[in-house]
Structures are given as C-alpha cells and as structure tokens.
Amino acid sequence: MTRAYNFCAGPATLPVEVLEQARDEMLDWQGRGLSVMEMSHRSEAFVSIAEQAEQDLRELMGIPDDYAVLFMQGGASSQFSAVPLNLAGPNDAVDYVNTGVWSKKAIAEGKRFADLSVVASSEEDGYTHVPDPSTWQLRSNARYVHVTPNETIGGLAYSRFPDIGSVPLVADWSSAILSEPVDVSRFGMIYAGAQKNIGPAGLTLVIVRRELLGNAQASTPAMLDYQVAHKADSMYNTPPTYSWYLAGLVFQWLKRQGGLDAIKAINDRKAQKLYGFIDQSDFYANPIQPEFRSRMNVPFTLADDRLNDEFLKGATARGLLNLNGHRSVGGMRASIYNAMPEAGVDALIEYMAGFEKEKG
Ligand code: PMP
C-alpha cells in the first residue's frame, strides 16, 4: 500500500495509526459484533466511546471543570450564527477582529444576530499581519470579542492574545486546535470544525464556559442552542457517531505522541523547515510577516504564475497532493497539520528544490 502525502486544508490527512485502528475495528468493535457506525448512540458501547473522547480531550487541552465540551454538527460555519445567538441578545454589542476570509464570514453572519462592530482589521494590507491589540477599538459593553487564531486560507496566525478583562474572548480555532498547548481559561469559548486536526468532517467541537450557557436568544434553533446540547450530553438528536469515535482515536493518538507540548515541538520544526526553505529561495515566496506565520497552513507563490499547473502536476505525480491554494487566492498552500509526518514536509521541500533548479 502506498499512501500519498496529502496537504489538503480540510478534510485533511489523518494519522495512519488511527486509520489502521478504525480499519481493524470496522466490522466488529471490541467483540460486540458490529461497527461503531451501526451502534445506537444511546447504547452503553457508544456512550463509553463518547465519554472517553471527552475525557481524553479535557486531559490533552487541560480544559477546566467549569467548561462544557459539546460535540455538535454543522461545521464551524454553523457556529458563526450559534455564537451570537447564544452569547448575545439581538441588540447587544459584539466585537470582531477581521484577519482574513474566515473572520469575514463570521462577521457577515454575526451581523444578522447582534450589534456587531469590526474593532480591528488587516484587510487593507492583504491580511499579512494581526492588528496589534493596543489598536483594537473594543467596546466596554461588548458581550464578547471574536478572533480567528489561525486563518486557514491566508496562513496567518496570532502570536499572542490580549488580556481583555472580563469580556469573554471567543475563538474560531478550526485550523490550529490541538497543534499546541493553550490556556483555555483565557477564553470564554473555543470552537472548531473537526476536519483538520480533530477527525472527519461532520463534527464540530465547542468548548464553552458553563456560566455563559442558558441565555440564548428566544429564536435560537434547538440544534444551535448550547444549553440544549449540554443538557443532553450532546445527544439532543443523533450525533455524528462515527466522526466522534474517530476524533476519540485521534485524541488517543495525540496522547501517545506525548500530548500538545510534544506535538508543538514537531509542528514548530516542520514549519521552520518549510518557511526556512521558502525564505532562502528567490523562486518561492510567502507574504506573511514572520511573527504571524501559521504553523498549520503555509501559502506560497512561484516566481512565475504560469508554472503553477506544471508544479502541481509534478507534485501529484510524486504523491504530494492538494498543494493548490484556496480558489479565492490562487498560488500554493501546504497544510501541515498534526498528522502530516515530518517526512512529508521533507519530501515537499525536496520536490520544490528540484523544481526550482529546473525552472528557476
Ligand atoms: N473557520 C475556519 C478558520 C476554517 O478554516 C473553516 C473551514 N476551512 C471554517 C471556519 C468553516 O468550517 P466548516 O466547513 O466546518 O463550516
């Protein structure tokens, strides 16, 4: 069997060990005679899978007891509406920072449900930096401040988070969750679509301080109401059981790697290698100010756009898949999430060097 290196931004590559375990357990999960996909979500077997996944996630991220962990559906995009619906009234102030395409989507949706203000933006410089928190025009009556710690398309990441006092910080961590340790207590809420560092698409993780629950706008659909999900142990309706199970296997894999400190060290090394190579080259370029470069998504351009197709074709032929940039920005992008082995980054750099030598 040959496995390619898949640099897709999401759904993204998963750890081989996880896929192998899922394969081995596919027809008969732990002697029960059925696959996880076929289990009732109310069965003792599935409830044990679900509880173990939550426990492992809490351990990995050090999630304090006063936070609820919700396994929801609808992707991070559903959270763009769920966040204001749950955490603010229709006339309440909510503050957003605009650092890229995903912030902008959250802003467009949030505007429909609250009095939203964009308190800082780096749009005018092409999203190549995160606006300095000292410049954010925060409103003291805001119900929360929304940030996007890792912009998947632009390859832009926060290098630090401001202390904003008692106003909850809400983070769309879809593309960098679990890539490094995080002090959860500094955030009112963290959410993430699963299909990058967590598991298969279909599952959305919500980590929210319990005291923020229970004040959803009256019109909030039950499926988006955190309190409803919390009271039902994330089983108000049928949850995405197989995605939940696979996420649990990924959490166990992460624990075997040594947890988030260990995975951060590997992620740092992978990113340094790739950016280091791009920076020493006259042929490849990355526009992001070094302090704000994402360690998960590395966009880069070729000196001559006309070579893009040939670059991608050659890469695919070598088993280096999905290096094309997002359709909205073009160029290239290598997503190097937790599950991308260091050997994959090495193989990419070797290919890029050879291509440059030939065409540069
Ligand atoms: N936020 C970020 C930062 C993302 O990268 C994405 C998906 N790429 C989304 C939100 C939207 O996620 P979903 O497709 O799960 O709705």
Side-chain angles (χ1 to χ4, degrees):
M1 184 209 65
T2 41
R3 259 180 76 78
Y5 291 119
N6 176 15
F7 295 92
C8 187
T13 191
L14 284 163
V16 177
E17 293 95 314
V18 165
L19 296 175
E20 286 172 345
Q21 186 177 348
R23 176 198 63 199
D24 293 345
E25 296 180 337
M26 173 69 83
L27 296 187
D28 177 13
W29 184 82
Q30 298 194 3
R32 308 296 168 108
L34 76 175
S35 83
V36 175
M37 250 178 277
E38 301 162 302
M39 284 177 186
S40 162
H41 55 296
R42 312 262 178 222
S43 66
E44 167 270 330
F46 185 76
V47 168
S48 75
I49 288 170
E51 288 177 351
Q52 187 67 48
E54 177 174 338
Q55 197 181 313
D56 287 336
L57 179 71
R58 283 185 177 275
E59 206 178 298
L60 275 168
M61 292 184 69
I63 300 173
D65 287 344
D66 59 331
Y67 283 69
V69 175
L70 309 175
F71 292 81
M72 300 189 76
Q73 305 185 51
S77 302
S78 289
Q79 296 307 314
F80 294 164
S81 17
V83 167
L85 282 168
N86 279 275
L87 305 186
N91 301 314
D92 283 345
V94 297
D95 289 349
Y96 280 62
V97 179
N98 176 15
T99 48
V101 172
W102 291 111
S103 307
K104 254 186 127 160
K105 287 207 165 175
I107 289 164
E109 189 69 5
K111 275 185 178 158
R112 303 175 58 204
F113 303 109
D115 168 21
L116 188 151
S117 167
V118 178
V119 295
S121 170
S122 55
E123 187 166 11
E124 66 288 348
D125 81 345
Y127 297 122
T128 52
H129 77 290
V130 174
D132 192 290
S134 66
T135 68
W136 297 6
Q137 304 288 309
L138 298 174
R139 296 178 291 179
S140 58
N141 61 339
R143 300 305 298 258
Y144 62 84
V145 177
H146 183 280
V147 294
T148 311
N150 190 79
E151 288 281 357
T152 323
I153 293 174
L156 181 74
Y158 281 63
S159 53
R160 65 197 166 90
F161 297 96
D163 188 354
I164 54 170
S166 59
V167 178
L169 200 50
V170 173
D172 170 4
W173 228 303
S174 293
S175 45
I177 193 167
L178 295 170
S179 66
E180 62 182 336
V182 50
D183 180 359
V184 175
S185 71
R186 294 197 56 198
F187 295 84
M189 178 182 155
I190 291 170
Y191 66 95
Q195 63 274 19
K196 300 148 196 317
N197 262 342
I198 297 171
L203 177 72
T204 314
L205 211 57
V206 170
I207 301 165
V208 57
R209 203 181 291 144
R210 286 182 215 269
E211 67 180 22
L212 296 174
L213 300 179
N215 299 307
Q217 294 182 25
S219 60
T220 306
M223 281 294 291
L224 293 183
D225 188 322
Y226 300 151
Q227 181 79 322
V228 170
H230 179 49
K231 282 194 169 153
D233 294 326
S234 302
M235 296 197 197
Y236 168 73
N237 76 329
T238 315
T241 49
Y242 200 73
S243 298
W244 195 333
Y245 153 74
L246 269 187
L249 298 188
V250 170
F251 300 155
Q252 285 168 14
W253 174 82
L254 272 171
K255 284 171 74 178
R256 291 197 299 277
Q257 307 312 299
L260 301 191
D261 284 309
I263 208 77
K264 175 186 190 303
I266 299 170
N267 286 332
D268 283 350
R269 210 164 54 228
K270 290 187 311 194
Q272 273 164 18
K273 271 188 184 174
L274 188 48
Y275 284 115
F277 172 76
I278 290 169
D279 286 346
Q280 61 74 47
S281 155
D282 295 327
F283 186 74
Y284 301 103
N286 167 281
I288 306 299
Q289 294 181 20
E291 181 189 347
F292 303 114
R293 284 172 164 178
S294 165
R295 283 180 302 240
M296 296 286 103
N297 312 98
V298 183
F300 59 92
T301 50
L302 276 51
D304 182 352
D305 264 1
R306 288 168 304 184
L307 293 171
N308 285 359
D309 285 348
E310 198 178 338
F311 178 88
L312 288 169
K313 240 192 217 152
T316 304
R318 283 163 187 76
L320 306 168
L321 308 184
N322 296 312
L323 283 163
N324 48 305
H326 190 268
R327 60 187 185 278
S328 64
V329 294
M332 305 298 153
R333 173 177 50 171
S335 293
I336 50 174
Y337 299 117
N338 290 346
M340 172 56 66
E342 200 165 339
V345 175
D346 293 340
L348 172 61
I349 292 172
E350 193 187 325
Y351 169 64
M352 289 169 71
F355 190 86
E356 176 178 1
K357 215 165 165 192
E358 202 181 311
K359 310 281 176 190

